[in-house]
Amino acid sequence: MKPQKIKLLLFSLILFLFSIAGPVSAQSDGGRLRTVVVGQDNQPIVAANISLFRKPNDILLKGTLSNENGEIVLSAIPEGKYSLQVSTVGYAVYRSAEMVVSTGDLKVLDTIRLQVESKVLSEAQVIGKKPLIESHLDKVVLNVENSILATGNNALELLQKVPGVTLDNKKINLRGKSNVIIMIDGKPTYLSADEVSRLLENTASNAIASIEVLTNPPAKYDAAGNAGIINIKTKKNTQFGSNVSLNLNLGQGKYTKADGGFLINHRNNWVNLFSSYNYANALGFNDLDIDRAVDTKTGTTFFNSDSYSKFRYRGHNFKFAADFNLGKEEVIGFVVNGNVSNGHSTREGSNLIASQKGKLDSIVLGSNLSDFKYHYLTYNLNYKKTFDTLGTELTVNGDYSYSKNNDNSTVGNRFLDANWEEFKSPNIFRNDMLSKTKILVFKTDFVHPFNKTTKLEAGLKYSRVKTDNNLLYEDQDQQGEFVQNNGQSNQFLYNENIAAAYFSLNKSFGKFSVQTGLRVENTSSLGNSVTLGQQTKRTYTDFFPSIFVQQQINDNHKLGASYSRRIDRPDYGSLNPFVYYLDQYTYQYGNPYLNPQYTNSYEVNYTFKDRYLLSLGYKRTNDAITQVIESNSETKAIAQTDRNLAYFDYYNMNVNIPVKLFKWWSISNNASAFYNKFSFDEHSGAQRQLEKLSFQVSSNHDIRIGKTTNLELTANYFSPAVYGVFSFQSYYGVDLGAGKTFLDKKLNVKLAVNDVLNTRGQRRLSSYQENGYYRIRNGYDSRVIRLSVSYRFGNMNIKSVNKKAGNNDEDNRLKK
């Protein structure tokens, strides 16, 4: 689809949406009423039930829900006398005094502060406090705020505490599946898997309120990501005024890690400002062992590679955001996010080569000195218009992001014989990789509730991505000078345009509700290997239907079912056909003929007493994209690349069981079992079929000692599993934490230990092929003790700017 046509389509839709909303907004004659509802802790109460009764007979005139800021806005109120009623679970019902509303006037009430309703049931006190882990029909939520284990950790470490989420060498998996879309405040991160990990490592836990997991997202979300969505929500406050929060975290594993920063909020009647900054400085290591064998016609050659890397990372992460109130129902705002980081690493290793076990033939001693510089900036401009108290609204988002990654290394190899004597000249070369990416996104969404039981959602989106990856390869000559090797240097350009439209209809029939939706996406891409003179152009249109049904059987039992179709496009770097050599025995290359993979997802849910959740799911992925290892019998080298497999079947069962042993001891237990089955073709470089039943379990304990002291414990276990051509061994771990508050909860001191038993830091995987095998042991700094100190001052009841932007999965597909 041409850009001119897309722009015309977007403009036409906006006019159409305004034409729908116009008649609604015109019905605004009468008076207006506005206020804010909060709890005893001054935090906003979302989705409280609001009822407006007309005096003197208490006739119900209007009803609505409080928004995400706790705000209540009622319009088109006929002149007369009224009282306002507010109710929500866990709080006593509030009823206002009689008041008079006049035509054309805006009546602003004082902030409504609800009182916690406590009831004694079987000697257990029920109060309105969020548990550490909550299970909902469509998502699982980890409430990070006030969690001890979260303190001093970063966002990447926090993800390990979410039921069903695991990390594989910093790669995020959900219930045993990769291709997870990471969002922050409803906005995708626009980064590759490595860059997402780096960003989350530099995001402090004190800025996070909760982490949401959606395993089967509806049509309003981008169709990418067959594993689901993980949304990291930042903290919210309410009311007017200013506040500042300072934090400092120190960690000690094998090496020292530290970070610190601040958050500032300011809000008045017409503007809401937020800014944050965090600096991280950390040392780490990676201990890598690779044991492999290659079968040839003359015999088997064995390779054993052992290397140790030590690296330092420094990062600056910052954000500035503002909302401006143009009127009572209009808000315009902007957000600027950035990450500037750099680091370096040193690696020393040896590769022992033998023609038979126990007989050494030769040795390759290797070294790698590397450093990187990374810049990431994203800008968002947003607008929101609310038309009525039912919730009719239009939102528009424009996003632009730019990232630049400069990664260079100097690699040296020395060649020794069986007597450890050098028998030929060393091989020394340099790699200088410069990657640039520009992403432009425009998105508009319209929501129109026809009544309390029927709601329509629709929207459009257009994204444009341009990437430029330039690799400069240089060999060192006999004079010690570095000379460019044109045969190993490479430039790859990639352009992609995606136009999308969706609609979704929600309807309730008493205790039965249904949501149907359809998303359409048109993709046009061009991959250009400048060095090889090779271009790959594609254009395709896909339809992604979804349906969700739910039946409330009675107060204790609820059933739900869902279906959706999704897509995963290849990483940009995976399409680059150029061969990149790490050494003479190891190289990687991209596959320009990779096809997108398509997944059909089915899931059923059962909820008992709104606390216990059981879900069963099945997913079939066709043309599944997976990483494979190829062995060359002639050169005895191995190559890493990506291929489309025939299909991938995934069966899943997940259960979450919260237990309250005592009023001061809460436990959340989660267990997932999943069965992966991969079917390969003759070019996949592995068995024709790889399958395994796996499971993972976790248990989170929250113990409160008095009003100012908390203890927490988390334990998890992940059984052996398979993914693609790889088999993973099991691992387990235990985390402990303790915290105490001082000075009326303004000063918070916490101590936590990650991986107490030091069992997560040794990960093992293997791949067995027709002409050999490949086994890896990877070690890293997993046991870390952390001390965290934070101090807050000012008005702690201000709502920070928390805008949902219009981005999609584009940056998640960046690949270095």
Side-chain angles (χ1 to χ4, degrees), residues 490-493 527-536 576-578:
N490 172 55
Q491 184 179 18
F492 180 71
L493 307 175
N528 181 13
S529 178
V530 179
T531 305
L532 300 178
Q534 179 179 339
Q535 293 188 357
T536 304
N576 187 351
F578 195 79

Side-chain angles (χ1 to χ4, degrees), residues 33 127 453 579 687 696 815:
L33 187 150
I127 61 175
T453 62
V579 178
Q687 303 100 320
Q696 58 186 31
K815 185 176 181 180

